[in-house]
């Protein structure tokens, strides 16, 4: 507490919560207490506005980022770093002007001093602040800049830039390996960022603190120098939001009274906007996810070849095991097979997607991986057991194409076709409709309006979908 008081005494700025008075020697109900009198901030926490009303318009975001940076600049000028910047610690006064509060983790930075204490709030801490990364210590000024970047992102998007600052987090991993293009490709499905704002955040979200943008450079950046609304306009807009915040807080208060203060859900920033367990923001198209995963695998293979990354640093959601990395045989069937379909992605990507879909059937099907490109499947029906093989093949001269083939081993053919329909339907999002593979003598891909599966058809209705699927019932046409 004395450290916080000392820090707030040294900093006087319109965007720093004022310390009006304090006493280190007070008594309250026969207990020794410290009395601190702070500037009133009736506007509440910035956190509440982001949590209950969502993202800001870009000019409002820029206005509050200005106030945050200017207040932080005043602290850094006094050689004080904050180390716990987050929306909960940014308060608003009666005119909705921002006030940086809670200097409990503040530290006076003597010249050339580095810090080693892991402190703050996990989602806002710079990578170098974690114990496994800070053996040489960290610069508190630069770690504050990272936290400002997280706050800036949240103000613009309404949700955080990543879920957890660990390399198995998809978004955070992209920042660590400087794949900002991938980071934005995924995030911009659900949020709007101008190119100038992306550039500023790229320079803030630089894992190496020595390469991170400085506070002075932030204030000279093109996005930072953009247009901001007047204080009156900000006040008018935030006053409307305050009504919504007050209504939401009243609902929370009533809920707490009914359930007790330990009950009920605590709403976080972006609640309902993103799935914390998802690899990508909600709304990302399936074909984009598959393409990104494929790019991940190629990237990991390059990293392994160069010896730059340890196993713990790999993106576990997209990695393939050693067997899956050995390659896939070319599709050169000895006989015509009609229970097959073409896919518009490389074999490794298709294999990974097929594996995910088959795992969903594990409760009703017995699925066993066999080698690097196929699965042995057994399933029970009213007419007995059916066993079949599902294989993934590469296509000659087409590295970004592949074939999924299903071949019956045992059981009734009609039941087998039913299972083929199910697989075909589940993989529809990656199939290459209208593309036909010719015979083994000529394996070029050509475009056609009909495939062999369309020659003679029977309508089969599955129990897992409401759509009608057609499957091959003759082998009279050539593939």
């Amino acid at each position: 507490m004395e450290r916080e008081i000392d820090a707030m005494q040294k900093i006087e700025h319109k965007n720093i919560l004022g310390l009006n008075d304090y006493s280190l020697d007070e008594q309250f109900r026969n207990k020794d207490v410290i009395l601190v009198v702070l500037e009133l901030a009736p506007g509440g926490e910035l956190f509440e506005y982001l949590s209950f009303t969502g993202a800001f318009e870009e000019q409002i975001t820029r206005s509050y980022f200005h106030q945050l940076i200017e207040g932080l600049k005043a602290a850094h000028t006094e050689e004080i770093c904050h180390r716990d910047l987050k929306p909960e610690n940014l308060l608003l006064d009666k005119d909705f002007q921002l006030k940086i509060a809670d200097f409990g983790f503040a530290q006076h930075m003597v010249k050339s001093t580095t810090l080693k204490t892991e402190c703050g709030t996990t989602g806002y801490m710079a990578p170098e602040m974690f114990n496994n990364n800070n053996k040489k210590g960290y610069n508190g000024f630069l770690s504050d800049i990272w936290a400002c970047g997280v706050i800036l992102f949240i103000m613009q998007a309404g949700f955080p830039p990543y879920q957890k600052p660990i390399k198995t987090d998809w978004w955070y991993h992209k920042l660590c390996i400087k794949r900002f293009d991938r980071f934005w490709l995924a995030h911009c499905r659900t949020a709007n960022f101008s190119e100038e704002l992306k550039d500023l955040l790229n320079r803030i979200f630089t894992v190496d603190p020595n390469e991170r943008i400085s506070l002075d450079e932030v204030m000279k950046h093109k996005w930072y120098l953009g247009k901001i609304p007047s204080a009156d306009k900000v006040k008018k807009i935030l006053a409307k939001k305050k009504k919504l915040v007050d209504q939401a807080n009243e609902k929370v208060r009533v809920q707490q009274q009914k359930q007790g203060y330990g009950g009920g859900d605590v709403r976080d920033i972006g609640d309902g906007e993103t799935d914390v367990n998802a690899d990508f923001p909600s709304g990302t198209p399936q074909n984009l996810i598959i393409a990104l995963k494929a790019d991940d695998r190629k990237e990991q293979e390059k990293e392994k070849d160069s010896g730059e990354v340890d196993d713990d640093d790999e993106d576990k959601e997209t990695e393939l095991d050693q067997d899956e990395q050995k390659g896939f045989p070319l599709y050169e069937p000895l006989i015509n097979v009609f229970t097959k379909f073409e896919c518009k992605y490389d074999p490794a990507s298709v294999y990974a997607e097929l594996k995910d879909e088959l795992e969903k059937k594990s409760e009703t099907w017995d699925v066993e991986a066999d080698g690097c490109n196929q699965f042995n499947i057994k399933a029970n029906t009213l007419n007995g057991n059916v066993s079949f093989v599902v294989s993934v093949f590469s296509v000659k001269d087409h590295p970004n194409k592949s074939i999924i083939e299903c071949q019956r081993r045992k059981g009734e053919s009609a039941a087998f076709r039913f299972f083929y329909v199910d697989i075909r339907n589940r993989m529809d999002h990656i199939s290459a409709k209208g593309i036909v593979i010719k015979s083994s003598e000529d394996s070029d891909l050509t475009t056609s309006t009909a495939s062999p599966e369309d020659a003679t058809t029977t309508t089969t209705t599955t129990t897992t979908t409401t759509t009608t699927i057609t499957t091959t019932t003759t082998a009279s046409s050539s593939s």
Side-chain angles (χ1 to χ4, degrees):
M1 192 68 203
E2 292 182 19
R3 176 189 295 176
E4 182 171 5
I5 292 172
D6 180 62
M8 296 186 73
Q9 277 186 307
K10 292 179 179 178
I11 310 168
E12 291 187 9
H13 190 271
K14 64 180 182 179
N15 296 122
I16 300 290
L17 192 69
L19 174 64
N20 293 334
D21 199 2
Y22 72 95
S23 174
L24 301 177
D25 186 23
E26 292 290 332
Q27 286 270 326
F28 181 74
R29 294 180 180 176
N30 298 321
K31 291 183 179 181
D32 293 331
V33 297
I34 297 174
L35 175 64
V36 178
V37 182
L38 299 173
E39 176 185 358
L40 184 63
E45 300 174 357
L46 183 68
F47 174 88
E48 295 177 324
Y49 293 83
L50 296 170
S51 179
F52 294 127
T53 70
F56 292 154
E57 295 178 0
E58 186 164 345
Q59 287 191 19
I60 299 295
T61 295
R62 186 183 289 114
S63 176
Y64 278 115
F65 190 65
H66 271 216
Q67 296 174 55
L68 171 60
I69 293 300
E70 288 170 7
L72 187 60
K73 176 69 173 177
H76 286 189
T77 300
E78 296 295 335
E79 303 293 332
I80 294 172
C81 61
H82 190 284
R83 296 199 295 180
D84 196 21
L85 293 169
K86 56 183 178 180
E88 295 93 323
N89 290 339
L90 303 179
L91 308 182
L92 302 180
D93 67 11
K94 63 181 178 63
D95 295 319
F96 300 100
Q97 294 299 294
L98 183 142
K99 305 284 183 176
I100 300 176
D102 194 351
F103 283 77
F105 288 131
Q107 179 67 42
H108 187 267
M109 292 285 291
V110 182
K111 193 173 183 179
S112 300
T113 295
T114 55
L115 306 174
K116 293 190 176 181
T117 302
E118 181 178 318
C119 61
T121 303
T122 303
Y124 301 86
M125 292 166 60
E128 65 271 15
M129 296 181 72
F130 294 94
N131 282 332
N132 59 335
N133 296 331
N134 69 3
K135 296 177 182 178
K136 296 182 180 179
Y138 61 89
N139 182 312
F141 298 145
L142 294 175
S143 64
D144 279 349
I145 294 173
W146 180 283
C148 288
V150 177
I151 295 168
L152 171 58
F153 186 100
I154 292 173
M155 286 194 293
Q156 184 63 24
F159 53 83
Y162 46 81
Q163 301 299 344
K164 293 182 180 179
I166 54 177
K167 290 186 178 179
T168 52
D169 179 280
W170 192 91
W171 297 279
Y172 186 76
H173 178 257
K174 296 302 165 283
L175 297 178
C176 290
I177 61 175
K178 298 182 179 181
R179 289 303 304 270
F180 298 115
D181 57 330
R182 301 286 306 286
F183 176 84
W184 292 116
L185 183 62
H187 268 309
C188 286
R189 301 296 308 181
T190 51
N192 295 317
F193 289 84
S194 64
E195 292 303 316
E196 292 174 357
L197 180 51
K198 288 179 187 178
D199 180 72
L200 175 57
L201 285 166
N202 289 348
R203 298 183 65 187
I204 292 175
F205 290 145
T206 300
V207 173
D208 184 349
N210 296 319
E211 297 180 4
R212 193 173 302 150
I213 190 172
S214 69
L215 206 59
D216 288 337
E217 290 172 329
V218 168
M219 299 177 78
K220 295 176 182 177
H221 192 275
K222 188 174 182 179
W223 182 84
Y224 187 90
L225 297 175
K227 184 179 180 181
I228 61 171
S230 66
D232 288 340
K233 184 174 182 180
V234 171
K235 182 177 179 180
K236 184 177 180 180
I237 293 173
L238 267 292
K240 292 181 180 178
K241 291 180 178 289
K242 182 68 165 60
K243 293 180 181 179
L244 298 176
V245 169
D246 290 342
Q247 292 172 5
N249 278 330
E250 178 61 22
K251 290 181 181 178
V252 172
R253 186 186 65 80
V254 172
Q255 182 186 47
Q256 288 174 336
Q257 288 179 339
K258 290 181 179 179
Q259 300 181 354
Y261 282 86
D265 296 329
V266 178
R267 188 178 185 189
D268 198 0
I269 289 176
D271 187 27
E273 297 293 336
T274 58
D275 179 1
V276 296
N277 296 315
D279 285 335
F280 301 89
S282 60
T284 304
Q286 189 70 23
N287 60 347
L288 175 59
I289 292 176
I290 296 168
L292 294 177
K293 285 182 178 181
D295 198 27
D296 278 342
R297 282 189 287 274
K298 294 176 183 178
E299 178 182 295
Q300 290 160 12
E301 289 172 1
K302 291 179 181 178
E303 290 173 344
K304 284 186 176 181
D305 292 340
S306 64
E308 294 177 356
V309 179
D310 295 330
D311 290 341
D312 292 339
D313 291 337
E314 295 176 1
D315 185 352
K316 291 181 173 57
E317 294 298 325
T318 57
E319 68 180 357
L320 292 174
D321 61 34
Q322 292 181 351
D323 286 339
E324 290 174 90
Q325 295 174 0
K326 291 179 180 178
F328 297 80
L330 288 174
Y331 189 64
E332 298 177 328
L334 298 177
I335 60 174
N336 289 332
V337 177
F338 298 103
T339 48
K340 72 177 187 301
F341 55 94
E342 299 82 32
C343 300
K344 55 189 176 183
Y345 296 101
D346 63 277
S349 301
V350 171
Y351 181 94
E353 194 70 13
L354 177 63
K355 183 178 179 181
D356 289 343
E357 292 298 330
L358 292 178
E359 286 177 352
K360 297 176 184 177
K361 299 288 294 183
S362 60
E363 292 185 3
T364 55
W365 292 1
D366 181 7
V367 180
E368 179 184 351
D370 183 9
C372 66
N373 77 310
Q374 65 184 29
F375 298 90
N376 293 325
I377 299 176
K378 296 180 181 178
N380 295 322
T381 70
L382 294 176
N383 296 325
N385 295 332
V386 175
S387 62
F388 57 99
V389 177
V390 182
S391 306
V392 179
F393 295 94
S394 60
V395 178
K396 185 178 180 181
D397 298 329
H398 295 276
N400 294 321
K401 302 287 184 180
S402 54
I403 298 288
I404 291 181
E405 179 190 81
C406 299
Q407 283 203 20
R408 178 170 60 96
R409 289 287 181 262
K410 178 183 176 182
E412 190 180 63
S413 60
F416 162 67
R417 288 196 300 272
F418 173 87
F419 294 128
Y420 167 74
V421 167
D422 192 4
I423 293 173
R424 175 63 180 79
N425 187 53
R426 288 173 176 274
M427 302 296 288
D428 184 66
H429 56 283
I430 65 171
S431 67
K433 297 180 176 65
I435 294 179
V436 180
I437 298 296
K438 292 184 178 180
S439 65
S440 57
E441 287 81 11
D442 182 7
S443 58
D444 289 339
L445 293 176
T446 59
T447 301
S448 173
T449 57
S451 66
E453 286 83 352
D454 297 322
T456 306
T457 61
T458 296
T459 300
T460 305
T461 304
T462 74
T463 59
T464 58
T465 178
T466 59
T467 59
T468 301
I469 307 297
T470 59
T471 60
T472 302
T473 57
T474 75
S476 60
S477 60
S478 172
S479 60

